[in-house]
């Protein structure tokens, strides 16, 4: 793929359909739970991307029988009832936050294990100290490197009990604890030091525990924290466990009709999704889109000639989608202000700074604070945006590039390092181009 990649804009309203890949969040959670379960699980509609491949490789390095089939979008996992076969391993997690956090708690369940966990330089800047400290309160033995990776985990099972955690930097800390909790000797009671943590991803984890056989009576959730009692192993799913379509990835296609007008059907998403990011559809409705929900899809419609309304308010519960909103904000009527996103400065990159930089390169007026971003539309200027190796930066600006800013159908926006999308959506730009071609054909 050309680098930087010139995005060819749509010259007709979008017409057609798209199927979003399986959810990264659910695929990686399902891999951990299936490895802890008793017997074989067949995971269906899995996402095959850099992050999920890192998790598959880690489980294989730990001695699990994991058989991925990318063509069929399935992964077979033979769970060992909470046992981890290999007692020594060096685990590489790249820049996958879910892999790093979920595996840290998972490895603490091993009896007599000695593991190291490390990743790329950016991973060594991503927070994990609070999770390690809480696990140590629960009987683990984890050494960090000044609060970051690399980690050394010398495990002898997890005693469990009551512990506090500051999960303000990542709700994945709590999800990691929740998935390991049924295998701790006394279960785990988690006291939240900061109750403003994003709950939607923790809710996904709790729902998945129930789907894998943990009874509701074992789980308790409140404003103050979570309690998960010791329980028998997760129940394997030999007949199949279906991974939902990725709601974060769907955000780009909820925004596309707003950028180029037209109608687009998005397959693989439902209004009842486990994923909080599905709420982004409502933000596009605020901008003026019309969304119709079907049993396994959503259809987004935006009238040609309409002027999208600007957005304002918190994106905290679904912050992975704030980049999508920021990228299309130059097309809105008035200033868009996105708030409560400070934690995104510590993700794959400093996402607030990355979006501000890209928008300014394209001529926009941008103001940023530690936890917010405001975009006031100005005439769009041709430019090349840096992605900072962040897939969501690349895909968000890919949607803005679909807008015909020059009025001649010629590329005006280039995206550096487009292959960084392999983290969650390897063929994103190919899917966009196919939609453009389909839309031209529909108009003829």
């Amino acid at each position: 793929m050309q680098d930087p990649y010139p995005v060819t804009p749509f010259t007709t309203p979008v017409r057609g359909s798209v199927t979003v890949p399986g959810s990264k969040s659910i695929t990686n959670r399902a891999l951990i739970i299936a490895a802890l379960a008793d017997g074989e699980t067949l995971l269906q509609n899995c996402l095959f991307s850099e992050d999920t491949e890192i998790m598959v490789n880690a489980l294989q390095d730990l001695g699990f029988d994991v058989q991925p089939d990318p063509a069929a979008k399935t992964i077979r996992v033979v769970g060992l009832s909470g046992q981890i076969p290999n007692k020594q391993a060096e685990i590489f997690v790249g820049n996958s936050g879910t892999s790093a956090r979920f595996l840290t708690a998972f490895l603490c369940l091993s009896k007599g294990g000695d593991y190291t966990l490390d990743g790329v330089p950016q991973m060594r800047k991503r927070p994990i100290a609070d999770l390690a400290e809480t696990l140590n309160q629960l009987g683990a033995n984890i050494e960090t490197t000044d609060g970051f990776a690399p980690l050394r985990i010398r495990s002898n099972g997890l005693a469990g009990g009551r512990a506090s955690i500051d999960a303000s930097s990542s709700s994945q800390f709590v999800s990691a604890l929740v998935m390991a909790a049924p295998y701790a000797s006394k279960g785990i009671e988690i006291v939240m030091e900061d109750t403003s943590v994003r709950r939607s991803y923790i809710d996904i984890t709790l729902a998945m525990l129930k789907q894998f056989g943990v009874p509701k009576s074992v789980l308790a959730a409140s404003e103050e924290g979570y309690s998960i009692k010791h329980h028998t192993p997760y129940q394997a799913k030999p007949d199949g466990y279906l991974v939902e379509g990725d709601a974060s990835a769907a955000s780009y296609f909820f925004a596309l009709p707003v950028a180029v007008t037209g109608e687009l059907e998005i397959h693989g998403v439902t209004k009842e999704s486990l994923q909080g990011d599905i709420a982004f559809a409502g933000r596009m409705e605020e901008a003026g889109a019309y969304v119709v929900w079907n049993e396994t899809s959503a259809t987004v419609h935006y009238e040609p000639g309409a002027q999208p309304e600007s957005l304002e308010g918190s994106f905290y519960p679904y912050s992975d989608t704030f980049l999508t909103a920021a990228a299309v904000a130059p097309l809105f009527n008035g200033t868009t202000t996105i708030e409560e996103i400070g934690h995104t400065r510590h993700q794959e990159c400093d996402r607030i700074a990355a979006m501000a930089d890209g928008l300014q390169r394209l001529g926009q007026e941008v103001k940023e604070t530690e936890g917010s971003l405001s975009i006031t539309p100005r005439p769009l200027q041709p430019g090349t945006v840096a992605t900072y190796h962040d897939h969501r930066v690349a895909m968000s600006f890919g949607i803005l590039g679909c807008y015909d800013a020059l009025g001649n159908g010629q590329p005006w926006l280039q995206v550096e390092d487009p292959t960084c999308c392999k983290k969650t959506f390897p063929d994103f730009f190919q899917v966009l181009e196919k939609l453009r071609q389909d839309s031209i054909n529909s108009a003829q």
Side-chain angles (χ1 to χ4, degrees):
M1 180 177 286
Q2 186 176 337
D3 186 3
Y5 177 78
V7 181
T8 303
F10 283 55
T11 54
T12 62
V14 64
R15 289 284 185 273
S17 64
V18 65
T19 300
V20 295
S23 163
K24 177 196 77 171
S25 298
I26 294 178
T27 299
N28 269 356
R29 282 167 172 77
L31 284 166
I32 287 286
I33 293 171
L36 289 170
D38 182 15
E40 182 178 291
T41 291
L42 176 64
L43 303 178
Q44 300 168 316
N45 194 42
C46 298
L47 173 65
F48 281 85
S49 69
E50 185 175 63
D51 273 24
T52 56
E53 288 171 5
I54 283 170
M55 183 68 87
V56 166
N57 291 337
L59 292 174
Q60 290 173 332
D61 289 344
L62 290 167
F64 286 94
D65 181 0
V66 181
Q67 300 173 26
D69 185 344
K73 298 182 181 179
T74 63
I75 305 174
R76 289 187 180 274
V77 184
V78 179
L80 298 174
S81 301
Q83 303 301 311
I84 298 177
N86 294 344
K87 300 306 178 185
Q88 289 188 322
E90 295 181 0
I91 303 299
F92 177 75
V93 295
N95 195 20
S96 173
T98 55
S99 300
R101 287 128 187 191
F102 297 170
L103 285 166
T104 295
F106 176 82
L107 291 169
C108 292
L109 298 174
S110 179
K111 301 292 176 63
D114 191 345
Y115 308 100
T116 59
L117 188 150
D118 199 5
V120 299
Q122 179 61 25
M123 176 54 70
R124 294 183 175 187
K125 300 177 184 178
R126 299 183 68 178
I128 202 164
D130 290 307
L131 174 60
E133 181 181 336
T134 298
L135 284 163
N136 285 341
Q137 291 178 45
L138 297 168
N141 182 356
I142 304 174
E143 297 175 6
T144 68
T145 304
D146 297 325
F148 298 92
L151 312 178
R152 185 176 183 185
I153 302 168
R154 284 172 282 194
S155 56
N156 196 29
L158 203 56
R162 179 184 173 94
S164 61
I165 189 166
D166 180 355
S168 56
S169 59
S170 177
S171 66
Q172 291 170 7
F173 295 168
V174 180
S175 286
L177 293 167
V178 165
M179 286 187 285
Y183 294 83
S185 300
K186 296 181 287 187
I188 288 176
E189 184 178 354
I190 305 162
V191 179
M192 308 292 289
E193 293 182 10
D194 184 340
T195 58
S196 66
V197 65
R198 289 181 296 159
R199 303 275 178 157
S200 59
Y201 283 97
I202 304 170
D203 291 342
I204 292 174
T205 311
L206 292 169
M208 291 181 67
L209 260 63
K210 294 174 187 175
Q211 290 171 343
F212 279 85
V214 177
K216 189 176 181 180
S217 59
V218 169
L219 310 172
S222 68
E223 183 68 19
E224 291 71 34
Y226 299 87
S227 175
I228 300 93
K229 298 176 184 177
H230 175 74
H231 185 62
T232 55
Y234 296 126
Q235 294 174 8
K237 300 284 185 180
D239 296 328
Y241 176 84
L242 184 66
V243 174
E244 286 184 2
D246 194 322
S248 304
S251 74
Y252 311 117
F253 301 106
F254 280 111
L256 182 61
V258 177
V260 303
T261 73
E263 186 171 284
L264 179 62
E265 185 173 14
I266 307 168
H267 293 282
V269 295
T270 68
K271 197 171 186 178
E272 289 74 34
S273 170
L274 295 177
Q275 303 162 72
D277 283 7
I278 204 67
F280 182 81
R283 302 314 297 257
M284 290 299 96
E285 288 181 305
E286 290 177 34
Y290 182 60
V291 180
V292 176
W293 293 96
N294 307 302
E295 189 174 343
T296 59
S297 67
T299 300
V300 189
H301 181 83
Y302 198 86
E303 288 287 343
Q307 177 67 52
E309 293 298 325
S310 60
L311 301 176
E312 185 172 349
S314 173
F315 269 68
Y316 185 75
Y318 36 90
S319 60
D320 277 354
T321 69
F322 100 78
L323 301 89
T324 317
V328 295
L331 310 179
F332 291 172
N333 182 25
T335 299
T336 288
T337 301
I338 299 169
E339 299 174 327
E340 293 192 274
I341 51 172
H343 60 282
T344 68
R345 290 189 181 275
H346 309 287
Q347 294 184 301
E348 280 80 350
C349 72
D350 181 337
R351 285 179 163 172
I352 297 176
M355 294 307 296
D357 174 60
L359 289 162
Q360 287 166 340
R361 292 187 189 199
L362 302 174
Q364 303 308 292
E365 181 182 329
V366 181
K367 295 180 181 179
E368 60 174 293
T369 70
E370 181 60 29
S372 71
L373 188 65
S374 293
I375 305 102
T376 300
R378 296 290 181 256
L380 284 162
Q381 301 173 3
T384 300
V385 296
T387 59
Y388 301 92
H389 310 295
D390 190 322
H391 57 131
R392 300 214 180 280
V393 175
M395 291 186 282
S396 296
F397 279 113
I399 296 301
L400 179 59
C402 291
Y403 175 71
D404 190 9
L406 303 180
N408 61 7
Q410 295 301 306
W412 61 277
L413 187 157
Q414 297 189 105
V415 177
E416 291 182 358
D417 187 23
T419 58
C420 68
C421 296
K422 66 184 180 182
K423 185 175 176 68
T424 55
F425 201 153
D427 61 345
F428 174 77
F429 285 104
Q430 291 89 335
V431 169
L432 263 190
E433 176 59 20
K434 183 177 185 304
L435 271 178
R436 188 183 73 85
Q437 294 286 352
D438 289 348
S439 299
I440 292 173
N441 293 336
S442 295
Q444 292 175 349

